[in-house]
Amino acid sequence: VNRYDLAIELSALTWDGTHFWGILDGSPSPLVQIDPDTRQVLATYEIPGYGQLFTRYTGVAAVDGDLYILLENRGPDESTATVLRATP
């Protein structure tokens, strides 16, 4: 078992074979790339078109060079989910 202590609060984490990718729910730049050796954030990414008020970022998965980000859309009458594909 390896242990990685990070100085940020993540709501989701995945591994792409090279880096960790995390979700910081409630952040204007919720997608973060993390160096596994230094445990430092290398880059942050915004997700255009999805605001913090009606969207909660709940998951991330790395598959074949792409990231799949799970969002919970909160509306006045119902909640729905959206999966976004991003190529970093």
Side-chain angles (χ1 to χ4, degrees):
V1 173
N2 293 327
R3 177 177 166 163
Y4 296 90
D5 293 318
L6 304 171
I8 54 177
E9 292 185 32
L10 298 173
S11 59
L13 181 70
T14 193
W15 170 255
D16 69 1
T18 304
H19 297 97
F20 288 123
W21 289 90
I23 295 289
L24 296 170
D25 188 41
S27 170
S29 300
L31 184 61
V32 294
Q33 181 185 37
I34 303 166
D35 183 299
D37 296 321
T38 65
R39 293 171 300 283
Q40 298 295 312
V41 173
L42 298 176
T44 62
Y45 299 89
E46 294 181 13
I47 301 174
Y50 294 89
Q52 299 173 42
L53 186 57
F54 295 108
T55 303
R56 191 177 90 182
Y57 306 96
T58 58
V60 62
V63 180
D64 295 330
D66 290 327
L67 297 173
Y68 293 84
I69 304 157
L70 178 62
L71 295 88
E72 178 185 324
N73 306 301
R74 296 174 282 197
D77 300 322
E78 62 181 74
S79 292
T80 61
T82 299
V83 176
L84 302 175
R85 186 179 85 188
T87 303

